[in-house]
Amino acid sequence: MTAPGRHGSPGARRAVLLVLPAVVPVVVVVGAALTSAVLLSLGLTPLVGRPELSLDAWRGAELGTSIRLSLAIAAGATAVAAVVGLGLALAVTATVRRSRLLGTLGALTIPVPHLVGAAAMGLLLADAGFLPRLLGVAPEDWPALVGGRWWIAVGAEYAWKESAFIALVVAGVLSSRVASYTETAALLGAGRWARFRHVTLPLAAPALGASAAVSFVYTLGSYEVAALLGRPSPEPLPVLAVRLFTSIDLAARPQAAAVAVTTSALGLVAVLLALRSLRRLAGEQ
């Protein structure tokens, strides 16, 4: 006897049929684009010259430094966004009126485009920006937050924007379940820290992990913020791909394709790891 909702059951087949209209176009478009990029990066569909299998594009694209830099930016910004987003979600689900107002103000950042956020962060944190003027610090004494060595402004913009997204997802989960569970735990004698550790955090973990994974993959492949607020060199993967793709040298196109394929592969690995972690977390719960 087949359990309801299992693979092969009428419910599962109906669910697959419902998602096919959305999944098939995505698979066709993304699959065709990745196949074309892989063939171009391997020299099998060159813009000039004869097709010839080669790994020269992968060797000459300076991938190592860009991969480390992109992973560092995405991991740092996602970690900060997850902590801030979780705190904001806890504030939103609290019963204090001021906390709800804080949640509303935080959610207002979601419709702001990243390009607008990057421009605002640059005007705020640059050596001649609003913050050093407000604090009375001379431009030569202000640290290089924009275009500096540590990519502070880039990480701050991603963390600011993505924390609101994470807070919205986590708050949606906590608002419907956390109150009754914490009240029960409180009646059983659990303290504030024990309620947070054994009730609130396990309830929020799946939504927090899923939204953090989405934030990580988006930051890994995002171009505009790093291009506007980052250093000219070294370049994160999206900035490197765009520069190579828009170069007047047609021989750089295979290198741009190699960078794009690498970025997609890293994003896919991140998603698979996140799904595996979420599945294990669901099994433990």
Side-chain angles (χ1 to χ4, degrees):
M1 179 177 180
T2 304
R6 294 291 184 84
H7 181 71
S9 66
R13 288 196 294 269
R14 184 170 182 270
V16 171
L17 292 176
L18 287 175
V19 301
L20 279 181
V23 172
V24 170
V26 174
V27 172
V28 171
V29 173
V30 176
L34 283 178
T35 302
S36 176
V38 170
L39 295 177
L40 180 60
S41 68
L42 294 176
L44 299 178
T45 56
L47 298 177
V48 292
R50 300 178 57 183
E52 183 179 357
L53 182 61
S54 172
L55 296 177
D56 292 343
W58 293 83
R59 298 191 188 99
E62 302 175 355
L63 285 174
T65 304
S66 295
I67 289 174
R68 289 192 292 271
L69 178 59
S70 295
L71 291 177
I73 293 174
T78 302
V80 175
V83 173
V84 176
L86 178 61
L88 189 57
L90 295 177
V92 169
T93 53
T95 57
V96 183
R97 181 175 300 177
R98 287 179 298 178
S99 300
R100 293 183 177 179
L101 177 61
L102 179 63
T104 303
L105 294 176
L108 291 178
T109 64
I110 293 178
V112 177
H114 271 282
L115 186 60
V116 177
M121 196 63 69
L123 294 174
L124 177 67
L125 298 180
D127 55 4
F130 177 75
L131 189 58
R133 291 173 183 270
L134 181 66
L135 299 176
V137 179
E140 58 271 18
D141 297 330
W142 187 253
L145 302 180
V146 177
R149 177 182 179 185
W150 300 106
W151 299 74
I152 299 298
V154 177
E157 201 282 336
Y158 282 129
W160 169 59
K161 279 283 296 172
E162 298 305 315
S163 63
F165 165 71
I166 292 175
L168 183 65
V169 175
V170 176
V173 174
L174 291 182
S175 60
S176 61
R177 303 173 63 185
V178 71
S180 59
Y181 282 91
T182 53
E183 288 175 359
T184 303
L187 290 175
L188 294 175
R192 180 173 298 180
W193 170 247
R195 294 199 300 271
F196 173 77
R197 182 180 176 185
H198 298 292
V199 178
T200 304
L201 198 56
L203 288 176
L208 181 63
S211 56
V214 173
S215 174
F216 180 88
V217 174
Y218 177 83
T219 305
L220 186 67
S222 180
Y223 164 79
E224 65 274 20
V225 178
L228 187 62
L229 299 177
R231 299 172 59 188
S233 178
E235 298 169 304
L237 288 171
V239 179
L240 178 61
V242 172
R243 180 177 63 79
L244 292 173
F245 189 79
T246 55
S247 172
I248 60 173
D249 184 8
L250 294 180
R253 297 292 177 85
Q255 295 180 4
V259 176
V261 172
T262 302
T263 307
S264 302
L266 290 175
L268 180 60
V269 170
V271 170
L272 293 178
L273 291 176
L275 289 176
R276 183 178 179 183
S277 300
L278 292 174
R279 187 172 300 173
R280 180 180 300 176
L281 184 62
E284 292 176 355
Q285 291 182 346

